[in-house]
Amino acid sequence: MSYSTADSLRTVTLDDVRGAQKMLSGVARVTAMESSRHLSQMVGAPVHLKCENLQRTGSFKLRGAYVRIAGLLPEERAAGVVAASAGNHAQGVALASALLGVRSTVFMPKGAPLPKISATREYGAEVRLHGQVVDETLAAAQEYAARTGAVFIHPFDHHDVIAGQGTVGLEILEQCPELRTLVVGIGGGGLAAGIAVAVKALRPDVRIVGVQAEGAAAYPPSLAAGRPVSVRNPATMADGIKVGRPGDVPFGIVGELVDEVRTVTEDELSAALLLCLERAKLVVEPAGASPVAALLSRPDAFEGPVVAVLSGGNVDPVLMQRVLRHGMAAQGRYLAVRLRLTDRPGALATLLGVLSVIDANVLDVSHVRTDPRLGLTEAEVELHLETKGPAHCAEVNQALHDAGYLVIG
């Protein structure tokens, strides 16, 4: 299964995906399908979660990387492979190469999370840190491929990669034969394209909905233009789908087979990640939670049974902390307030007493006495509070007002 550049642009078929499934037997896990009672109640129909966050390396990327590398000719394998990635694709290529006995070099941005760098090295790849953004890293990897003869393994823009990702779709149909709507995140489009090939060939009645982060949504304008177009400076916490331009190969498939592409906000992504952790007990990265975010934003728009693909779970702990706090704030369960009070002994204790009466949990306190903006007898306090929802937030603000405190932010 080695293809020229022209051949790699040909369409992907059900037979290709079935061939990839045989190749991946014993390599990739058949990941679990979990039901979500909470989401089912919201949607008014059964909702199931396809847990690719529990795949080896923590995402679906192993599937496509393995099929692509396994298809190389002996002389291509001897030259080694090279990839560029901030995380999931890096780990997929590293493990696939190790399993196949192929030397791998992975370029990663200098700011890539340390756990992802360490994991990629532990899977056997030589990691080279280059550039501040993925575009710079990608250019370095391509230059390395041209200079050394190593085969560049694209994360989504290749026939074999798409066929490998499509095996997720075959598993979904086996695990949920009554499926009516399938929701999947889209970055470059490899996963959505592969799933669409498999599902539409066997169940053309299934509605497939792609989901992009609002700040990195290249597919809607591309589909409108009829060709891949770039989004300048894509920005989203969901780095797994933070892609500025659709891949040429997946774009044609998505345009033909994916019924709709929706966008979700950062608040919706945060709330979805929080829901996955609290209700489903699943650690999911923001990109992997994007289908759940779409369900949360418009639960009435999906005919059930619904399957949402949790594409990955490789989330940096520091980002997880920030996203969870953001998600709590979006749900009205986290409140930050800044206020001024008279700087006298016991003033802070009195303030905390007001919050205790209304059952607001204080997470941290910043108390400033020396600032040119403050009067001689004033102090400024910033409080981070855990609350019980929007109504409780309003109650906190009202209690502070009634107690005579000046809330300034």
Side-chain angles (χ1 to χ4, degrees), residues 74 191 260 271 298 332 406:
L191 177 62
E260 179 186 4
R298 279 290 308 278
L406 174 63

Side-chain angles (χ1 to χ4, degrees), residues 237-286:
M237 71 176 78
D239 57 354
I241 54 174
K242 186 181 176 181
V243 178
R245 182 186 183 278
D248 292 325
V249 186
F251 175 76
I253 298 171
V254 169
E256 180 183 355
L257 299 179
V258 172
D259 297 286
E260 179 186 4
V261 176
R262 291 175 170 263
T263 62
V264 292
T265 67
E266 299 298 284
D267 282 353
E268 289 163 348
L269 286 167
S270 298
L273 188 147
L274 183 61
L275 184 146
C276 288
L277 186 64
E278 286 189 326
R279 297 302 183 98
K281 315 306 176 191
L282 292 168
V283 175
V284 183
E285 62 189 91

Side-chain angles (χ1 to χ4, degrees), residues 12-36:
V12 183
T13 68
L14 177 61
D15 285 342
D16 295 322
V17 180
R18 283 176 166 160
Q21 188 177 45
K22 291 179 181 178
M23 189 179 293
L24 288 168
S25 178
V27 175
R29 294 176 181 144
V30 177
T31 51
M33 181 85 76
E34 298 288 343
S35 298
S36 171

Side-chain angles (χ1 to χ4, degrees), residues 193-387:
I195 286 176
V197 167
V199 171
K200 288 291 190 178
L202 296 170
R203 286 283 309 281
D205 59 304
V206 170
R207 182 171 181 79
I208 300 178
V209 179
V211 184
Q212 291 210 287
E214 194 174 71
Y219 264 89
S222 297
L223 292 169
R227 58 181 175 79
V229 298
S230 298
V231 171
R232 299 182 66 180
N233 302 318
T236 176
M237 71 176 78
D239 57 354
I241 54 174
K242 186 181 176 181
V243 178
R245 182 186 183 278
D248 292 325
V249 186
F251 175 76
I253 298 171
V254 169
E256 180 183 355
L257 299 179
V258 172
D259 297 286
E260 179 186 4
V261 176
R262 291 175 170 263
T263 62
V264 292
T265 67
E266 299 298 284
D267 282 353
E268 289 163 348
L269 286 167
S270 298
L273 188 147
L274 183 61
L275 184 146
C276 288
L277 186 64
E278 286 189 326
R279 297 302 183 98
K281 315 306 176 191
L282 292 168
V283 175
V284 183
E285 62 189 91
S290 59
V292 175
L295 295 178
L296 292 177
S297 68
R298 279 290 308 278
D300 60 331
F302 301 90
E303 180 186 359
V306 178
V307 170
V309 181
L310 307 182
S311 58
N314 292 319
V315 57
D316 178 51
V318 175
L319 176 62
M320 171 71 88
Q321 184 179 38
R322 285 173 26 218
V323 171
L324 289 179
R325 186 167 286 189
H326 188 83
M328 291 175 68
Q331 291 186 349
R333 294 168 52 194
Y334 178 85
L335 179 65
V337 294
R338 193 157 50 94
L339 48 84
R340 289 184 183 174
L341 46 76
T342 302
D343 187 17
R344 63 172 183 269
L348 182 58
T350 301
L351 169 62
L352 296 178
V354 172
L355 297 171
S356 175
V357 169
I358 56 174
D359 203 22
N361 184 30
V362 179
L363 299 176
D364 58 71
V365 179
S366 174
H367 191 202
V368 178
R369 286 193 174 96
T370 55
D371 190 294
R373 297 174 295 114
L374 298 175
L376 185 63
T377 62
E378 286 184 320
E380 188 171 288
V381 176
E382 184 173 343
L383 300 162
H384 292 181
L385 310 172
E386 183 180 2
T387 55

